[in-house]
Amino acid sequence: MIVLHDPDTLLHETVELLGAKVRPALESPIRIQAIVQAIQKSHHDLRQPATPSDGDIRRLIDLVCLTHKPDYIEHLQTAHKEWVSAGLIESDESILPECFVFTNGARSVPQRPLDIYARAGYYAFDMSSGITNKTFQSTVASANLSLQAVEILTQPDENADTVLALCRPPGHHCDGQRAGGYCYINNAALAVSVWREHHADARIGILDIDFHHGNGTQEIFYDDPRVLYVSIHGEHEFPYYTGAAEEQGAGHGVGANINLPLKPGSSFQEYLEQLEKALDGLKKFGTCFLLVSLGFDTFHLDPLGSFQIETESYSVIAQTIRRSLAHIPAVILFEGGYVIEHLGSNMLAFLEGWECRSVLPRS
Ligand code: OKP
Ligand code: ZN
């Protein structure tokens, strides 16, 4: 498997609230380092994309702005500097929002605040998406891995059918104008835009198997009939206000959104039943390009998840996906997963199953 990694993804390190305490965020650079170390010791083809030129970055941002608002992206790029110049934080500290957009009985549409302090809350929906002086650089590097992964699939001489992008920060929680859940740019949405440059009318499936509902990805494609978003996630868990089975899409996109919530504590058997439904939906949709938002916070020991899934199960999950959607080009985007000591082995187990190295007896 071709695996893409960029050391710039390691630069972003922020804080979050755990209870009332400010702590280093669970979403940390050592997550990626643990996976890279495991990949280096394996047969997989680990690659670092060439440093993007200014023109490459402009193209990346233009593609990102097809699904994100330019003023939001500008905020990600400039907010930290502005907070430092205003004396709100030191340059090694993190922006955290004070006040989120709230309903005032729909008497007026929320406007972008003039106050730079207030803007942090306007462009976020929670407090696990702090912005540091390195956040934008890491976020662009992470998004670039998603873009490069798609580009590799479109090059015939590469002869690859799947690429894994070791994205960090992750992407599935942020929508067109709000960071949240450790996410700043939606890497899956970007991959869709890049694939569409080559195949304008493609029917694209997104299978989100992070423990958490990918509210951002759902939101971005909610009325899009050519992108099917399917998610298996913990019911009533973060981000709390989305992920119900009743959310099935809107407008032309009705039917192109499938949520498969599972009770906290669910077993692997229960998980596989939902996975079969997910794969059924993706096949019926006529998926011709697959994105997998892959999180290992479904692992039984994860501090942010509650499913009973063990390392070997990731081989079965991956093999089940691959067998069901055989020969469809795929990009795997890394999302969550917070048990550092098991991330490497969980990823290797997943890749082994994906490559169908005799995990399940062939039926
Ligand atoms: C991101 B992903 C501690 C709780 C953390 C945010 C969870 C984000 C999960 N403050 N809340 O989907 O793995
Ligand atoms: Zn997650």
Side-chain angles (χ1 to χ4, degrees):
M1 170 97 54
I2 299 174
V3 182
L4 301 184
H5 164 59
D6 184 330
D8 276 7
T9 64
L10 308 175
L11 297 172
H12 160 74
E13 272 184 274
T14 185
V15 292
E16 69 181 333
L17 292 178
L18 283 170
K21 289 192 170 49
V22 180
R23 297 273 173 83
L26 281 174
E27 198 293 288
S28 73
I30 49 175
R31 299 172 58 244
I32 296 293
Q33 285 165 327
I35 294 176
V36 166
Q37 273 175 25
I39 299 274
Q40 277 167 342
K41 291 191 208 127
S42 74
H43 66 280
H44 297 294
D45 179 2
L46 183 66
R47 301 187 192 175
Q48 180 179 331
T51 308
S53 67
D54 289 353
D56 293 337
I57 296 202
R58 238 174 290 125
R59 170 175 173 244
L60 176 96
I61 299 292
D62 285 349
L63 285 163
V64 164
C65 286
L66 295 175
T67 51
H68 295 67
K69 288 181 65 182
D71 55 299
Y72 166 64
I73 299 302
E74 190 192 330
H75 165 77
L76 294 179
Q77 183 165 21
T78 59
H80 191 273
K81 265 189 228 91
E82 289 193 47
W83 274 48
V84 173
S85 323
L88 292 165
I89 48 172
E90 300 296 325
S91 61
D92 61 349
E93 290 177 321
S94 202
I95 292 183
L96 284 183
E98 179 204 20
C99 186
F100 298 107
V101 172
F102 56 90
T103 165
N104 68 351
R107 272 182 272 275
S108 63
V109 180
Q111 297 295 312
R112 176 178 185 270
L114 295 174
D115 186 337
I116 56 156
Y117 183 62
R119 234 173 268 157
Y122 180 72
Y123 290 118
F125 68 83
D126 78 351
M127 295 183 75
S128 36
S129 46
I131 297 175
T132 70
N133 55 357
K134 298 285 166 50
T135 299
F136 191 68
Q137 193 179 345
S138 281
T139 301
V140 166
S142 181
N144 185 50
L145 293 179
S146 171
L147 178 147
Q148 296 299 331
V150 178
E151 293 290 347
I152 287 174
L153 287 183
T154 62
Q155 288 160 19
D157 48 311
E158 284 284 2
N159 205 11
D161 61 18
T162 310
V163 181
L164 165 64
L166 295 181
C167 295
R168 174 183 186 273
H172 71 152
H173 291 303
C174 63
D175 63 17
Q177 54 180 327
R178 264 171 299 267
Y182 309 138
C183 303
Y184 305 85
I185 285 177
N186 194 301
N187 300 312
L190 174 62
V192 167
S193 298
V194 177
W195 187 260
R196 282 175 167 172
E197 282 197 314
H198 301 269
H199 309 273
D201 299 319
R203 297 180 75 82
I204 301 172
I206 304 176
L207 175 61
D208 189 331
I209 52 172
D210 183 279
F211 177 79
H212 303 96
H213 181 243
N215 59 293
T217 313
Q218 165 172 299
E219 175 63 28
I220 289 169
F221 296 112
Y222 206 59
D223 53 15
D224 190 329
R226 288 210 170 84
V227 175
L228 173 64
Y229 176 74
V230 188
S231 174
I232 306 171
H233 51 268
E235 186 170 37
H236 307 310
E237 297 271 352
F238 182 90
Y240 308 115
Y241 304 105
T242 63
E246 291 72 29
E247 296 161 14
Q248 296 174 359
H252 293 295
V254 170
N257 196 86
I258 302 178
N259 283 328
L260 300 164
L262 264 177
K263 299 251 176 297
S266 288
S267 68
F268 180 51
Q269 271 318 311
E270 292 168 304
Y271 192 88
L272 280 182
E273 284 165 28
Q274 298 296 64
L275 184 61
E276 289 299 345
K277 289 184 212 163
L279 295 170
D280 237 46
L282 287 161
K283 273 189 287 194
K284 291 210 177 90
F285 183 70
T287 301
C288 59
F289 173 54
L290 177 69
L291 291 166
V292 180
S293 272
L294 173 62
F296 292 113
D297 39 12
T298 50
F299 189 57
H300 64 116
L301 298 174
D302 200 280
L304 296 185
S306 62
F307 292 161
Q308 299 304 310
I309 294 180
E310 302 192 21
T311 299
E312 307 75 58
S313 309
Y314 290 112
S315 290
V316 180
I317 291 170
Q319 188 159 349
T320 306
I321 299 169
R322 203 57 188 146
R323 288 228 175 125
S324 173
L325 298 166
H327 310 305
I328 294 175
V331 165
I332 303 170
L333 300 167
F334 187 49
E335 301 278 358
Y338 306 96
V339 191
I340 308 301
E341 314 81 70
H342 294 271
L343 279 175
S345 45
N346 287 344
M347 184 60 90
L348 291 184
F350 188 91
L351 297 182
E352 193 173 297
W354 190 274
E355 293 180 340
C356 294
R357 289 166 184 264
S358 65
V359 182
L360 285 174
R362 280 196 179 268
S363 47

